Amino acid sequence: MNRSHIAVLGFLGAALLLAGAATAWAEAHEPFYQEEDLSMFMSAAASDARVADAPEGAGGAEGAPPAEGGVEPAAGKPPPLPLHNLEGTAGGVSSPMAYLCNPGPPGTEIAGPTFSGTFLKAGDKEVQSYALSMTFHRRIEFSYAANRVQLGDWPKAIRNGAGLRVGRNHLWVHNLNLRGMIVEETPTIPAVTGGVHFKINEGVHSINHRAAYVPRNLAGFEKASGTDFTLSIAKTFPKLLLDRPVLANFGLRWTQGAYAGWLGFGNEWNTNIEAHIAWVPFDWLAIAYEYKEMNSPYNGVGTLVREEDDWHTILVAWIINEHCTLAGAWGHLGALVNHHEGGAWGVQFKYEF
């Protein structure tokens, strides 16, 4: 475990200790914590807190006043958070959270679908993700995302550096995900969710063939498809910071993918850390930090295929209404195939039915 891992774990540990102390105090002083049905995802906590604190009979069928920023809390329909990650599951931009996407109110058997479009720009490379997800019985989430990965000047660098032609400048990666909430969140127990993520890279096998199998022989490329396994644990503290919700999420991923599968899969398994910390300062705004550990199964090949660096992302999400979210992201991705990308940016529009 290197220094960055120790720093991240120390930060999360300190945050959880602080959250635990605040929760112990709040349980004795805040009637909100006595409510039986806590939010199963971070944005609902803000609306639920207003409902619990509102005078009886005030504002609407649920007794809740209008939300700040003009967002009306719909009956049984909390604001549309979390976001979709690039794989298509509920989470940040790069990794999942333990909460599920659009689970619906208690008693829901089949929730409405959720669609999203995400654009990520990192130097001369681009990723577009088009995702669809649905949640069943508030406990099982199915999702699919198609990623179009624009390779930038990497094909030209391969041709100039190794004299090989890869024959294409973009790839398609198909992500099919199944996640289940193993433990539902309570006032004292966090939500726990496990996931299986099937990935098919459409194009990387062709590159390996056109490059005379040099990627396999030199770098260690083995497969154009692979499966990731994830485990996520999350807890929302409804009034932790300035009387507003804070979410802590910690996850593990077992993967053979190179650059999240964008460059295919090797035979070496890696166990990677994924973590989030998020705050909802207003009913119409959420701010989050996301960390994703990256370890490649490939051997580095000079400047053509660099060793991967961990990803750090800052997210800001505008809750337009109870169905729509518009989010912006800025991230530090480090080495991305053949370049070091000190900064990347992205946007996402997500709609929940």
Side-chain angles (χ1 to χ4, degrees):
M1 183 174 291
N2 59 35
R3 292 182 178 178
S4 64
H5 298 165
I6 296 173
V8 170
L9 290 174
F11 172 77
L12 290 174
L16 289 174
L17 284 175
L18 177 62
T23 300
W25 181 89
E27 285 176 345
H29 296 82
E30 294 288 349
F32 175 80
Y33 275 82
Q34 307 306 319
E35 295 293 310
E36 293 182 358
D37 185 23
L38 277 184
S39 167
M40 291 180 63
F41 47 103
M42 72 181 196
S43 63
S47 295
D48 290 346
R50 293 198 315 279
V51 171
D53 292 339
E56 185 175 354
E62 295 296 310
E68 298 172 24
V71 178
E72 295 286 342
K77 181 67 180 77
L81 290 174
L83 305 173
H84 269 159
N85 65 14
L86 293 171
E87 292 177 333
T89 68
V93 168
S94 63
S95 53
M97 293 180 181
Y99 301 116
L100 305 183
C101 193
N102 193 19
T108 300
E109 294 186 358
I110 302 177
T114 299
F115 297 92
S116 72
T118 305
F119 175 82
L120 179 66
K121 177 75 170 177
D124 65 345
K125 298 175 179 63
E126 299 176 0
V127 179
Q128 294 106 43
S129 178
Y130 309 96
L132 165 67
S133 69
M134 289 191 69
T135 300
F136 300 84
H137 300 281
R138 291 170 53 94
R139 300 294 286 268
I140 300 173
E141 178 189 88
F142 288 98
S143 62
Y144 166 77
N147 300 158
R148 186 183 187 276
V149 183
Q150 171 66 37
L151 299 173
D153 68 351
W154 186 64
K156 181 179 178 181
I158 293 287
R159 184 173 66 249
N160 294 339
L164 301 171
R165 295 181 179 272
V166 300
R168 59 192 305 154
N169 62 4
H170 72 276
L171 303 165
W172 281 94
V173 180
H174 303 279
N175 304 268
L176 185 62
N177 312 287
L178 171 62
R179 299 202 307 149
M181 182 170 285
I182 303 167
V183 178
E184 195 170 20
E185 185 178 25
T186 72
T188 56
I189 299 175
V192 180
T193 298
V196 182
H197 312 268
F198 304 97
K199 300 186 177 186
I200 301 173
N201 189 311
E202 182 184 329
V204 72
H205 192 72
S206 172
I207 289 176
N208 186 52
H209 176 72
R210 286 176 175 270
Y213 298 96
V214 170
R216 172 181 293 177
N217 298 331
L218 192 59
F221 165 79
E222 292 292 339
K223 298 171 288 188
S225 62
T227 304
D228 290 2
F229 301 92
T230 59
L231 182 68
S232 304
I233 302 172
K235 189 75 180 74
T236 296
F237 305 93
K239 295 190 175 185
L240 178 62
L241 181 59
L242 299 180
D243 212 33
R244 302 296 300 181
V246 172
L247 158 71
N249 184 92
F250 178 81
L252 294 173
R253 179 183 294 266
W254 293 270
T255 180
Q256 295 174 304
Y259 296 98
W262 297 346
L263 284 189
F265 303 83
N267 281 329
E268 177 187 342
W269 284 93
N270 289 306
T271 302
N272 295 340
I273 294 172
E274 300 175 333
H276 305 77
I277 188 80
W279 180 42
V280 187
F282 305 103
D283 295 341
W284 52 271
L285 182 69
I287 302 170
Y289 163 74
E290 181 179 25
Y291 169 79
K292 182 179 180 69
E293 182 181 10
M294 301 290 286
N295 289 308
S296 177
Y298 296 167
N299 302 316
V301 184
T303 59
L304 296 179
V305 181
R306 298 176 183 268
E307 292 292 332
E308 297 182 44
D309 293 319
D310 298 344
W311 293 2
H312 303 266
T313 312
I314 296 174
L315 306 169
V316 178
W318 172 33
I319 303 166
I320 301 173
N321 56 39
E322 65 268 22
H323 298 286
C324 303
T325 302
L326 180 64
W330 182 91
H332 178 84
L333 306 185
L336 194 61
V337 188
N338 61 320
H339 290 306
H340 282 280
E341 304 300 347
W345 61 271
V347 294
Q348 179 183 111
F349 177 79
K350 183 169 74 74
Y351 189 91
E352 294 182 356
F353 286 89

